[in-house]
Each structure stands twice: as structure tokens, then as C-alpha cells.
Amino acid sequence: MGDFDSSLSLSSLLCHENETCFFDDSVSDHSNIKHEQSCFGIETEADVEYVEKLVERETITFGYRCRSSFDDCLITSHNWLKFARLDAIEWILNTRAIHGFRFHTAYLSVTYFDRFVSKRSIDEGKLWAVRLLSVACLSLAAKMEERKAPPLSEFPVEDFCFGNKVIQRMELLVLNTLDWRMNSITPFAYLHYFIRKTCGESTPKETVSRAVEFIVAMIKEIDLLDHRPSVIAAAAVLAASNRQFTREELELKMDTISSWGSLENENVFSCYIAMQEIEMGKVKTPRLVFYPSPSSIHSGSFDVLEKLFHRLQGAGIKRSLAFNECDQTCPAKKTRRP
Amino acid sequence: MGEKPEWLQQYNLIGKIGEGTYGLVFLAKTKSPPNCGKSIAIKKFKQSKDGDGVSPTAIREIMLLREITHENVVKLVNVHINHNDMSLYLAFDYAEHDLYEIIRHHRDKGNNMINQYTVKSLLWQLLNGLNYLHSNWIIHRDLKPSNILVMGEGEEHGVVKIADFGLARIYQAPLKTLFDNGVVGAEAKSTSNPFQLDQLDKIFKGTSMRILDYMGAVPLSTKSASFDLLSKMLEYDPRKRITAAQAIEHDYFRSEPLPGRNALVPSQPGEKVINYPTRPVDTNTDFEGTTSLQPPQPVTSGNAISGGMPGMGGGMNPGNIPMPRGVAQPHQQHHLRRKDPPGTGTGYPPQQKSRR
């Protein structure tokens, strides 16, 4: 029976090209989730093996690094990239919705984006290049993950005009730059497992969709290369459980989740805090939680950001950067220190 | 650009060695040291439809090949992009033989059986490669004799290489779970897969007997280890079928003759060494798209790939699709990806039986 249980829960997140994308399908299937809840506490070997392997592959394929280039970018003249990135993410998320891609696909395309800009620079102000990169990244992610990827012409590029050949060339540039390593693990792969390990507080249905929301919200706040997908997933599940955990409680929870090894508690905790900030931001004033780590934020960099922000707006490129929308949904720019 | 693409200049093109739905495969040799004269198989992807961008098949295949490294899996040496037309070329170590041709060679020679040592070594290495793939959650989905390559003379002589990952998938899950959930079964029904489920059934049932025919060397005594292993591998229900991991531990591989690294040359003296024919090369074809720019460079040594040229480490053919060479069985050469030659598996590798 252990087998049956695990297969039920695992199946929902496993298969790549099958449509059983867990948050599109099984979220609505309440009975499934109830069932999982009833088996709380039972951890099958298959589960453990599955998560161990994911974490292992995460390390290999994700090329986990301790933050560097993006932060560095922030203090260099490439500050504008931070804003261009937000714009790219907005575009990716909107386009995801238009085509009905999974969130996993959108997330994956942002990891491509982040990996690309960590290896190659884009000249300041070349917003067309950023949009072209976004199109290529999303198209590639769709080819990897979706059952059917749309033709290039069906990606709405708004006020830009790219020929198919140009987009294809950009795809090749991305593939080459990323060394054809396109198979990254995303936090979504862990979600059901983590939820099952912590289920309790709120109804699972809400928990899943809230966790998904947190993950999506975090895409904008962090460089995806800085945080392991497992860490983001764990933080999202904890944040979604709708309870204010103290540091100690959280660590206890973490111990139950990560019986296969140690998640990076420090990182999970700061991600968790960041997500709570986002949550509060919804209620109060929106603010940009520029998260990464407590230790490595250069306070100076945010002044630069502020200046840049104004400069960009003054320069009349704001339309493309979509700061107006941004102000409402996510952000303004402000540092916080966890 | 009127010039031959830069990447191409590092090779001497010998000719075409294969063709399939995915594109073409060429044989070439590296021009410069350190691997001067080494045989390379170059797979050219067919251009994707205009407007689709880079083909998803190419992306997935290359992505997979970048992630896997194993002695019994083809080695991707390089990815080349022709910037003119954005065509993609994959360079692999060249393999002189494949299981399809080896089997055919024996069948055409009447009662000339493949010796026990060779059968066992080929099978063990194949299972070893499969076990590697499966433990990395990769399912090949197009496993058949023509995709099971065997290295020619050289350092890796007689080593099995699993090739052609055009249909392969990497799953975010242990395989057992996939089977428990019928995911793979469901995919068999999907249009992207060459097999319909009912065909699968026929293929499978028909195949069992044929495999026994081919493996003429396997004694059919129901008490033998070989029979036991074979029947476990041919188990219809994937959940009950022996896994690759279990199979390499089977008694069959622990009895004499023990499997070896060079499957073609038995270690025991006295065993006959068979000279398998080399892969035919169509020297009139050159790289499409670059043809007009520069004709293929003729290679002086006539049949350069045969006779075990200057002992280079063999090579590999990703290509998998053999050139038409005579009729074997009624099957269509150019649709090999869809119509498997006889003796083929199902496209779904044997799956894990409950391990716990």
C-alpha cells in the first residue's frame, strides 16, 4: 500500500510531458490530495529515493553556485538589467498564461534567462535584446517541457518585430551559451512531496496553490541561480501553510521534511522570510524584497538602483519596462535586511 | 559566405553512412592531431520547419547526450552549428558495427551461430548501458539492434554503445513509479510514439520467438540460465519483468564463458574470430548544404573505413540507421524508426520489477 500511496502522490508531479501537471490538474482533484493527507507520515523508500535523486541532479544540472554575478551586476553599470529582468519575467508570465504553459515551464525559462545573463552581458539599454532573449528562453523551455510548443510567430513580442530566423538564431545562441544543458530541476518537482510531509494547517488545495504563488512571486525577487530549487520549494510550502513560524519551529519542520539529508536551513529560512514579506506586501505597501542572503547584500547597491530607476524612467523607456504595472503587483525598490 | 564552415574544415568527409527521418549520418575523419585520422560519425539534423525554430527533437537529444557519460553509451564529441542555414551537426566517435548487421551476417551465413561468448558479452554490455540510463531516469524508447552499436578495431574494439537518443526522454521520476502509473503505457498510445498499443502487443508476442531464433546459440533447455534470463526479460508485464540492474547480476553472466569487454574477440584461444563486414559508405554524397561550397575531400586510402585503418580507437555511429544493404526481412529501410527490424524489443526497455 505504501507503493500505491507514493505512486499517487508522485505521479502528479513526475511525468514531464504528460499533462498531469500537478498544479493544473490535481489541484482540482481534491480527493487525491485528501488521500495524500491521510497518509501523512508514511514515507516510502521510493519517495526518499526520488527526492535524493532530485537533489543530486539539482546539484549537477542546476550548476548551483553561491551568488555572484547577478549581485555583482547590481553594482556595476548593468543595473538596468535588474529592471529589464523584471520586464522579461512579466512578459514570460503573461505569455505563459496566453499559451497555457505550466508554471514549471515559465520558471525554467527564467533559469535559462538568468544563466544566460550570468555568462554573457547585454549592452545597457538594449531592450530589444532582452525581449529577444525572453522569447528564445520561453520557446526553448516550451520545447523541453510542453507537449506542443507554439510556432515562433505566436509569441507576442509587442512593440518589437523579430523574424523567425532571428529568434531561431537567438535560440541557438542560448543553447550554445548554456552548453545545451537544458534540463534543470525546478521547485515544482518537490512541491507535492514537501506538502505531504508538512500537511496540516490549511486545506491542501489552498496550500498547493499558495505555494505555487509563492514560487512564482519569488522568481521576480531572486536570481534563480542563487537558490536551490529544493530550498525555494521548502520555503514556499512552509510559507503557504499560513502560520508564523519562529526560527526554531521552522527548523523543526525542516527536519521532518528533509529526512533524506539536510536542506540548507539558513537559506530556507531567509527565503521563507522573503516570502512572508511578499505576502505582507500584498496587504500593505508593495515593496521589492530584494532578497538573497543576509550577508551579501551591498547596501550601496540599492542607492544605485534607485538612481537607475529614475534615470530609466527619465529616459523614456519606461513603457517597455512596465514599471507602472510593476508598482502595483510586485514592487518598488527597497532593501530589506532579514 | 563562400567558405566552407570553419568547423567542417577539421574533418575529411568520407561519405554518407546512414539516413533516417531525423536526417543524415556521415563518416568523416579528423584532420589534425591529436586525433588525426580518427573516424567520426556526423549526424546532420534535418532542418526544422521554417517558423518553428530549433527542432525540439534536436534540443532533447543533445541535452540528453550532454548529460550522459558511460562506456556503453555513444559519446557525443561535439555539436556544430552551421551558421549559414543554422543546421545542426553532432559529431560522435564512430562505431563500425551494429547488432542488426552482426545478426544479419550470421543469419545469412546459414548455420553460422554467434558464439556464446559474444552473445553474452554483447548482452551484458547492453544491459550495463541500459542500467545506467534507467538509473538516471532516461528511457531510450527506440531500442533496436540497429541502434546497438559495436566498436570496430581499436582501443574499444568490441565494446557495445547504445545510440540514437532521438526519441529518448528523461523523466523526473524513478522508472518504477512511471510504470506503476501507466505513464509509459499511456505514452505508447500518444501520437508521438511509433507504437500503438495493440501493435505493441503483436510485436512483443511475435518477437519472443524470433529472438530465440536469432540467438541460436542459446540452448533452449528450460533449465539453463540463459533460458531463465531470456524468459524474465521477455516477461510481458513490465512490472514483473526483470530490470537491467537485476539482469546483469543474473547467473547467466556468472557462468563460463564469462562476459568480456571485447565482445567480438573471445579471450579464450581456439575460438574463431569473425570478421564482420564494415559499414558501407556512399562516397558520392556530401554534407548537404555545404555541398556547393566545397566538394568532399576524397580520401586516398580507398575503403578507408575498412581493414581497421591505422588502429584508431574505432568510432561510433550515432546514426543507427544502416545503409540499405541487401534484403534481410521484409522491412522498409527508410522507415526504420517506425518499423523495427526483426528481433527488436518494444522500444520500451525492460522495466523494473518491484525492487522492494
Side-chain angles (χ1 to χ4, degrees):
Chain A
M1 88 149 195
D3 264 349
F4 179 62
D5 287 341
S6 74
S7 61
L8 242 192
S9 58
L10 286 175
S11 68
S12 46
L13 51 143
L14 301 184
C15 172
H16 248 124
E17 52 218 329
N18 173 326
E19 333 244 275
T20 62
C21 158
F22 61 95
F23 43 87
D24 289 345
D25 291 344
S26 53
V27 161
S28 56
D29 187 354
H30 215 198
S31 59
N32 252 6
I33 295 171
K34 281 247 171 69
H35 179 80
E36 282 168 28
Q37 197 172 15
S38 70
C39 66
F40 173 65
I42 296 173
E43 180 174 284
T44 65
E45 276 181 66
D47 277 345
V48 180
E49 179 193 308
Y50 167 65
V51 173
E52 274 174 359
K53 192 84 188 177
L54 273 182
V55 173
E56 184 191 318
R57 291 208 7 229
E58 177 178 287
T59 311
I60 299 165
T61 64
F62 184 74
Y64 175 67
R65 63 168 165 85
C66 289
R67 69 199 47 85
S68 56
S69 59
F70 212 80
D71 275 2
D72 295 343
C73 274
L74 279 171
I75 30 176
T76 70
S77 62
H78 291 100
N79 288 347
W80 75 280
L81 194 57
K82 175 72 185 165
F83 295 94
R85 180 181 183 272
L86 279 180
D87 180 53
I89 293 169
E90 284 291 329
W91 181 86
I92 286 170
L93 292 176
N94 288 338
T95 312
R96 180 211 72 84
I98 292 169
H99 287 289
F101 297 157
R102 301 154 56 194
F103 282 107
H104 165 78
T105 304
Y107 190 101
L108 192 61
S109 68
V110 180
T111 66
Y112 296 164
F113 185 100
D114 285 347
R115 285 169 61 198
F116 186 91
V117 297
S118 77
K119 291 186 171 179
R120 283 174 187 268
S121 62
I122 297 180
D123 291 344
E124 184 163 349
K126 285 200 175 155
L127 290 168
W128 60 267
V130 175
R131 175 57 50 85
L132 183 58
L133 176 61
S134 316
V135 176
C137 289
L138 187 58
S139 166
L140 289 172
K143 284 171 182 173
M144 285 290 297
E145 301 300 323
E146 298 294 328
R147 178 170 280 198
K148 195 170 185 321
L152 298 177
S153 57
E154 286 180 23
F155 288 94
V157 288
E158 292 153 17
D159 40 356
F160 300 99
C161 178
F162 306 124
N164 291 336
K165 289 286 170 207
V166 173
I167 299 176
Q168 185 171 348
R169 236 169 249 287
M170 191 67 197
E171 283 185 333
L172 285 171
L173 182 63
V174 173
L175 288 165
N176 223 20
T177 304
L178 305 190
D179 213 15
W180 295 86
R181 296 182 187 276
M182 311 307 285
N183 193 49
S184 308
I185 307 281
T186 73
F188 299 107
Y190 297 93
L191 222 45
H192 263 271
Y193 177 79
F194 286 173
I195 285 173
R196 212 153 55 83
K197 297 287 287 182
T198 56
C199 66
E201 289 87 307
S202 62
T203 76
K205 182 179 179 179
E206 277 171 25
T207 310
V208 177
S209 46
R210 278 168 51 82
V212 170
E213 277 176 39
F214 278 121
I215 293 170
V216 172
M218 283 298 274
I219 297 176
K220 295 179 188 166
E221 311 301 329
I222 57 174
D223 181 341
L224 299 187
L225 302 196
D226 289 337
H227 300 274
R228 284 173 171 272
S230 53
V231 165
I232 296 172
V237 168
L238 293 171
S241 64
N242 229 353
R243 236 185 62 185
Q244 304 283 328
F245 290 109
T246 64
R247 170 91 194 211
E248 288 69 32
E249 287 171 326
L250 200 111
E251 274 172 9
L252 270 176
K253 273 281 183 199
M254 298 272 305
D255 288 342
T256 57
I257 292 184
S258 61
S259 52
W260 72 88
S262 64
L263 267 176
E264 301 161 7
N265 287 7
E266 183 69 28
N267 258 325
V268 174
F269 190 68
S270 38
C271 270
Y272 170 76
I273 297 289
M275 287 172 184
Q276 287 200 319
E277 296 271 335
I278 293 172
E279 178 76 353
M280 312 238 285
K282 281 181 187 160
V283 196
K284 302 183 210 159
T285 347
R287 20 188 248 155
L288 171 72
V289 184
F290 179 67
Y291 168 71
S293 78
S295 54
S296 75
I297 285 183
H298 318 278
S299 54
S301 66
F302 287 88
D303 300 337
V304 182
L305 267 186
E306 298 253 4
K307 276 180 202 142
L308 186 83
F309 176 75
H310 293 300
R311 189 150 54 95
L312 284 176
Q313 284 198 315
I317 353 177
K318 59 182 185 299
R319 190 212 167 296
S320 295
L321 284 174
F323 279 120
N324 298 333
E325 295 153 50
C326 215
D327 276 306
Q328 282 148 30
T329 49
C330 59
K333 10 45 243 195
K334 217 159 177 200
T335 311
R336 56 163 279 286
R337 288 187 160 271
Chain B
M1 305 212 288
E3 285 293 297
K4 180 168 165 178
E6 204 175 307
W7 68 268
L8 190 50
Q9 292 175 30
Q10 53 187 295
Y11 302 110
N12 281 323
L13 177 68
I14 313 291
K16 190 176 78 169
I17 50 173
E19 188 165 1
T21 46
Y22 55 84
L24 302 166
V25 184
F26 301 93
L27 174 62
K29 284 177 187 281
T30 46
K31 272 189 198 166
S32 46
N35 290 315
C36 183
K38 186 176 178 180
S39 296
I40 298 287
I42 298 180
K43 173 170 177 170
K44 182 195 181 184
F45 283 104
K46 200 173 270 175
Q47 284 286 41
S48 56
K49 212 172 81 214
D50 188 45
D52 286 352
V54 183
S55 114
T57 318
I59 298 172
R60 285 183 168 153
E61 178 167 2
I62 300 169
M63 173 275 291
L64 262 167
L65 288 164
R66 297 299 265 122
E67 286 198 14
I68 52 189
T69 322
H70 190 269
E71 175 162 51
N72 298 120
V73 174
V74 280
K75 186 176 171 221
L76 178 64
V77 180
N78 227 327
V79 180
H80 299 291
I81 302 171
N82 219 9
H83 286 285
N84 276 337
D85 59 354
M86 293 189 280
S87 52
L88 283 170
Y89 297 81
L90 305 189
F92 296 86
D93 283 344
Y94 174 71
E96 189 64 82
H97 311 288
D98 62 64
L99 200 47
Y100 179 80
E101 289 303 325
I102 289 173
I103 292 169
R104 204 171 68 90
H105 180 75
H106 283 273
R107 189 192 46 214
D108 291 355
K109 291 221 167 164
N111 60 2
N112 188 359
M113 308 259 211
I114 309 181
N115 80 58
Q116 285 263 30
Y117 166 84
T118 298
V119 170
K120 198 179 281 192
S121 304
L122 291 174
L123 183 57
W124 190 89
Q125 292 186 37
L126 169 60
L127 288 166
N128 194 35
L130 266 188
N131 181 37
Y132 169 80
L133 295 176
H134 292 176
S135 57
N136 284 288
W137 306 353
I138 294 165
I139 302 188
H140 185 283
R141 310 205 314 171
D142 197 19
L143 208 58
K144 56 190 178 192
S146 56
N147 285 340
I148 298 163
L149 310 180
V150 183
M151 299 297 277
E153 282 184 31
E155 195 276 317
E156 287 196 289
H157 192 197
V159 173
V160 169
K161 305 278 178 179
I162 299 172
D164 193 3
F165 287 78
L167 291 178
R169 290 289 181 275
I170 183 162
Y171 288 90
Q172 305 286 19
L175 297 183
K176 175 176 180 298
T177 320
L178 294 180
F179 276 92
D180 286 351
N181 286 284
V183 168
V184 173
E187 265 188 51
K189 285 189 230 162
S190 83
T191 49
S192 66
N193 194 281
F195 300 108
Q196 297 295 322
L197 216 55
D198 55 334
Q199 283 176 343
L200 252 188
D201 196 63
K202 283 180 203 149
I203 289 167
F204 222 128
K205 288 184 174 150
T207 305
S208 323
M209 276 324 294
R210 285 187 185 157
I211 288 179
L212 293 180
D213 289 346
Y214 283 121
M215 292 193 153
V218 177
L220 285 180
S221 158
T222 49
K223 286 181 201 148
S224 66
S226 50
F227 185 90
D228 183 67
L229 175 59
L230 209 49
S231 53
K232 285 176 175 160
M233 292 194 304
L234 294 171
E235 165 60 49
Y236 186 72
D237 181 349
R239 267 167 290 203
K240 295 187 195 148
R241 199 177 307 151
I242 194 170
T243 65
Q246 292 162 340
I248 50 180
E249 298 296 323
H250 193 273
D251 278 349
Y252 171 63
F253 297 113
R254 297 170 190 268
S255 57
E256 291 293 332
L258 294 175
R261 184 171 185 262
N262 185 341
L264 301 181
V265 181
S267 44
Q268 304 90 325
E271 288 276 9
K272 197 170 88 183
V273 177
I274 296 170
N275 289 313
Y276 294 101
T278 55
R279 217 172 271 284
V281 183
D282 172 4
T283 48
N284 295 318
T285 315
D286 41 34
F287 287 118
E288 251 178 29
T290 56
T291 314
S292 55
L293 305 177
Q294 169 132 12
Q297 313 216 343
V299 167
T300 43
S301 37
N303 189 359
I305 56 157
S306 67
M309 280 292 72
M312 311 294 101
M316 204 64 269
N317 163 23
N320 56 56
I321 305 300
M323 295 287 292
R325 349 169 171 181
V327 226
Q329 281 264 326
H331 66 267
Q332 296 165 305
Q333 285 288 359
H334 26 279
H335 290 309
L336 276 184
R337 290 171 71 89
R338 299 290 173 248
K339 301 225 178 212
D340 280 13
T344 192
T346 62
Y348 296 125
Q351 233 358 274
Q352 312 194 5
K353 188 168 147 173
S354 71
R355 283 178 299 169
R356 20 187 94 97

